Amino acid sequence: MLIKKTLPLCIALALSTSMFAAKANAQSLSPTEQKIVAAVQARSEAALQLLERSVNINSGTLNHAGVRDVGKLFSTELDGLGFKTSWSEMPTAMNRAGHLLAEREGKQGKRVLMIGHLDTVFEKDSPVQLWDRKGNLVRGQGVNDMKGGDVIMIEALRALHAVGALDNTRIQVIFSGDEESAGHPIATSRADLVNAAKRSDVALAFEGTALDKQGNATGTVGRRASGGFVLDVTAKQGHSAAVFGHNGYGAIYETARILNSFRETLIEPDLTFNPGNILGGTEISYDNQNSKGTAFGKTNVIAPSAQVHGDLRYLSAEQGQRARDRMKDIVSKNLAGTSATIRFSENYPPMSPTPGNLALLDIYSKASFDAGLGEIKAFPPGERGAGDIQFVAPYVDSLDGLGATGRGAHSPDEDLDISSIQRATIRTAIYLYRLTR
């Protein structure tokens, strides 16, 4: 290879080394895998066009027609790849559009479940632009969260189909229509995911690829549970002049004691507990749907009532149970003249970084390395938010974060690195090929 003399020697050597490594890695791919890579590369522009079509359909969770329209777009693509597709309706009272399901039946290799979602946080009246491309970046509604990941799923499957590698594989695909705001009851809205997981060996989710501090792609082997707590405190009402005496400490002091005890004694890695709002006084009321409330109390009256609504996150079921037990114990040790109770909820179960999940990451990393795209390390589980894969993680080895790379998800500045579509699609296609052999 001829290097222009105008390049500094260090840059020339770096380029030469990089190209040599990519060529060497490519040689570690089988002939079929090299054809798969070529099929992905040949579709780069068409993949971007598919992404643009999907992003130009507003599909906020409550825009049921938009969610279904994106589902129709993707179901057409999957039908052409030999999948049997269907739409799973949700009960009317849930106010959710439903989910797109697709499946191929076969007898070869691992049974793979692939997970994406059709909805975005941008509802129909959102002022955020749909699609705005500038060079290698594109901004738009849900462009990386997660329509970019959805397209990667479809294009990876298409590359396998192009070389005949989808034949006799056992793959399920679920695009949920309410990931950004799961319908209740959860047992109903996530029944399709759970049922699919019970018929799978591996679950892969295509939320955005997180980058480490050096800018390298990572994989998600764990996500913390998303739940909450409600603390109710009652106390003896009386004149403020008698506080700390025979009238006791009042509900607000007891609430302060409890919260401060949580802070002083419960903090540990990957566990957080955040009081989002506090109400205290003689009269309190809370509007759960809108997360706001009112309180009335005079300064010369000991407050008889207080309530706290908080967030609780943990990385394993054991850690969650330990935290709840310790919180209950703190709540039970009341100041004079007070009593308190605490109740808990869990919206998303934890996805613990199990040995099985780490083994999946190793296979994915090897596929990436062999394709010349570098090794993939685990993203710190405690830094990742909640996602649909957590509903299947208790049943099957799971890996997430296989989607596109971008910034500003859920904000008007949400964008996507266009080149990440091809990189992630190559990784995924090689990965699927190896899992299904």
Side-chain angles (χ1 to χ4, degrees), residues 224-288:
R224 293 193 298 163
S226 174
F229 66 90
V230 178
L231 172 66
D232 287 292
V233 181
T234 59
K236 182 179 179 181
Q237 182 175 337
H239 197 289
S240 63
V243 71
F244 315 139
H246 65 273
N247 279 343
Y249 286 78
I252 293 177
Y253 270 121
E254 171 65 348
T255 301
R257 177 198 69 82
I258 292 170
L259 293 179
N260 192 55
S261 295
F262 289 172
R263 181 188 64 82
E264 288 184 334
T265 63
L266 298 185
I267 293 176
E268 63 181 66
D270 299 319
L271 175 68
T272 57
F273 37 91
N274 178 63
N277 60 60
I278 303 176
L279 297 169
T282 306
E283 298 176 7
I284 62 173
S285 64
Y286 184 72
D287 178 354
N288 190 66

Side-chain angles (χ1 to χ4, degrees), residues 114-395:
M114 302 174 71
I115 302 171
H117 65 82
L118 308 169
D119 65 320
T120 76
V121 298
F122 304 98
E123 295 298 339
K124 197 170 184 178
D125 60 353
S126 171
V128 175
Q129 58 202 338
L130 292 171
W131 179 268
D132 180 28
R133 179 178 180 179
K134 293 181 180 178
N136 191 49
L137 286 178
V138 60
R139 293 172 61 178
Q141 296 182 8
V143 70
N144 76 57
D145 186 16
M146 65 167 290
K147 291 178 179 177
D150 296 340
V151 168
I152 288 165
M153 294 167 63
I154 292 170
E155 291 300 321
L157 292 168
R158 195 193 311 277
L160 295 184
H161 184 263
V163 302
L166 272 186
D167 297 343
N168 204 31
T169 57
R170 302 176 291 180
I171 299 176
Q172 296 180 81
V173 178
I174 294 185
F175 289 109
S176 65
D178 63 347
E179 193 275 344
E180 299 295 1
S181 179
H184 288 270
I186 292 290
T188 299
S189 66
R190 292 300 173 266
D192 291 309
L193 272 173
V194 171
N195 290 337
K198 292 178 178 178
R199 296 186 290 116
S200 301
D201 301 310
V202 172
L204 308 176
F206 290 78
E207 293 279 5
T209 294
L211 303 180
D212 63 18
K213 294 180 180 179
Q214 290 72 44
N216 300 313
T218 68
T220 298
V221 296
R223 286 177 177 263
R224 293 193 298 163
S226 174
F229 66 90
V230 178
L231 172 66
D232 287 292
V233 181
T234 59
K236 182 179 179 181
Q237 182 175 337
H239 197 289
S240 63
V243 71
F244 315 139
H246 65 273
N247 279 343
Y249 286 78
I252 293 177
Y253 270 121
E254 171 65 348
T255 301
R257 177 198 69 82
I258 292 170
L259 293 179
N260 192 55
S261 295
F262 289 172
R263 181 188 64 82
E264 288 184 334
T265 63
L266 298 185
I267 293 176
E268 63 181 66
D270 299 319
L271 175 68
T272 57
F273 37 91
N274 178 63
N277 60 60
I278 303 176
L279 297 169
T282 306
E283 298 176 7
I284 62 173
S285 64
Y286 184 72
D287 178 354
N288 190 66
Q289 184 172 351
N290 294 302
S291 300
K292 63 181 182 180
T294 61
F296 166 80
K298 292 186 175 182
T299 58
N300 62 350
V301 177
I302 299 172
S305 302
Q307 189 175 75
V308 180
H309 292 257
D311 177 83
L312 178 63
R313 298 176 186 255
Y314 39 89
L315 192 53
S316 68
E318 294 77 14
Q319 185 180 47
Q321 188 59 54
R322 182 169 66 251
R324 289 188 291 267
D325 288 344
R326 293 168 67 189
M327 293 169 86
K328 289 178 181 178
D329 183 61
I330 291 169
V331 167
S332 70
K333 297 176 179 178
N334 307 121
L335 293 174
T338 72
S339 63
T341 61
I342 190 168
R343 59 188 190 273
F344 301 94
S345 61
E346 183 179 83
N347 297 320
Y348 286 76
M351 173 187 174
S352 302
T354 64
N357 295 356
L358 291 166
L360 283 182
L361 177 63
D362 287 343
I363 301 171
Y364 181 61
S365 179
K366 182 66 163 55
S368 178
F369 181 81
D370 289 348
L373 297 173
E375 295 180 337
I376 306 293
K377 296 182 179 180
F379 188 75
E383 297 179 19
R384 194 91 203 218
D388 268 346
I389 198 165
Q390 290 170 242
F391 294 104
V392 309
Y395 306 97

